[in-house]
Amino acid sequence: MSEYSLTRLPCVVRAQPLSSELRRQEIIDATVPLLEEEGFTVSTKRIAEAAGIAEGTIFRVFPTKEDLIHAAISSVMDVRDLVGDIQNINPATPLPDKIAQIFHIVEQSASRIHTFMAAMAGRSHRKPPHGFSGKFTPPKQGHPHQRFSAQTGVIRTAIEQTLTYNTHELTVSPDTAAAHVLTVALASVMTDTVIDPVDSQTTVTLVVRALTGKEPE
């Protein structure tokens, strides 16, 4: 054995580059709050700073700024998490508690979307930066509100599925009950901005009474 021992150099682990999908989501996540703060006039430089990347990286993922804006809005409008949360409700949950959970899930998501769109609309009058028209061209799927409306069918189906367990308690079909619950949940988000809101427990009581013909236990 040699009298000299070799000193092992520390192994340097290089960070793996993000996949294109993760990079895309990282940029979108940085864009959404900036759109809410500044509207469509937010610069790609600001977005890059928020994402911790070079501005040019944005355009290696998104061909144009408008493509990025459409992707960010689509992300906000995505109801997959909402639907998943409804589907994860325990079917055996007592009906009043189940409806309360559905209300909370739908209201949280709808309120976030409503706040986001209202914030951007309120900032649309600002002068756009050089190189961007500032005019929002709806994506192929339609205007953001239309896109959300189109997805309400998916939400309604998820609610119907979780209410099917309670068919024996309902005076209407699970489909009709789901439509009623979703309508009330969405309406509560809109009316909270113009009238004094009704407390959630009262709302649940009224809905359960309407759907079952009985007072909640």
Side-chain angles (χ1 to χ4, degrees):
M1 178 180 294
S2 170
E3 58 181 298
Y4 299 103
S5 61
L6 296 177
T7 302
R8 179 173 294 179
L9 296 176
C11 179
V12 177
V13 179
R14 297 183 181 277
Q16 293 297 315
L18 292 179
S19 68
S20 58
E21 188 56 38
L22 287 176
R23 177 67 74 189
R24 175 185 172 85
Q25 192 58 52
E26 178 186 63
I27 296 172
I28 288 173
D29 290 344
T31 302
V32 169
L34 290 176
L35 282 175
E36 190 168 343
E37 292 175 14
E38 303 182 25
F40 301 129
T41 61
V42 62
S43 69
T44 51
K45 180 180 179 181
R46 286 269 290 131
I47 294 170
E49 290 173 349
I53 58 176
E55 188 174 5
T57 302
I58 292 176
F59 297 105
R60 287 198 288 271
V61 179
F62 298 94
T64 68
K65 177 180 173 180
E66 288 198 1
D67 288 323
L68 170 55
I69 289 176
H70 290 319
I73 292 174
S74 294
S75 177
V76 174
M77 298 292 162
D78 195 326
V79 299
R80 283 177 294 184
D81 287 344
L82 181 159
V83 169
D85 288 342
I86 292 174
Q87 292 173 333
N88 286 333
I89 295 175
N90 187 340
T93 300
L95 184 59
D97 295 337
K98 182 179 291 184
I99 290 176
Q101 289 181 42
I102 294 171
F103 277 170
H104 178 72
I105 293 167
V106 173
E107 288 170 359
Q108 287 287 101
S109 182
S111 180
R112 177 174 57 86
I113 292 171
H114 179 69
T115 300
F116 175 80
M117 295 306 298
M120 287 201 303
R123 290 159 177 76
S124 62
H125 64 279
R126 293 183 178 180
K127 183 179 179 181
H130 178 70
F132 181 62
S133 66
K135 296 179 180 179
F136 175 64
T137 304
K140 293 179 181 179
Q141 296 91 339
H143 189 279
H145 287 298
Q146 293 174 334
R147 175 169 178 139
F148 180 75
S149 297
Q151 295 182 96
T152 56
V154 179
I155 303 171
R156 176 173 168 171
T157 298
I159 296 173
E160 177 187 353
Q161 290 171 345
T162 194
L163 292 180
T164 297
Y165 185 90
N166 306 92
T167 300
H168 63 287
E169 300 178 67
L170 303 172
T171 59
V172 294
S173 68
D175 176 63
T176 299
H180 183 74
V181 170
L182 180 58
T183 299
V184 173
L186 293 176
S188 68
V189 175
M190 300 300 117
T191 56
D192 277 359
T193 63
V194 294
I195 62 174
D196 293 334
V198 177
D199 69 272
S200 58
Q201 186 57 51
T202 298
T203 302
V204 171
T205 298
L206 292 173
V207 170
V208 171
R209 185 187 299 163
L211 297 181
T212 65
K214 300 177 182 179
E215 291 295 326
E217 296 180 359

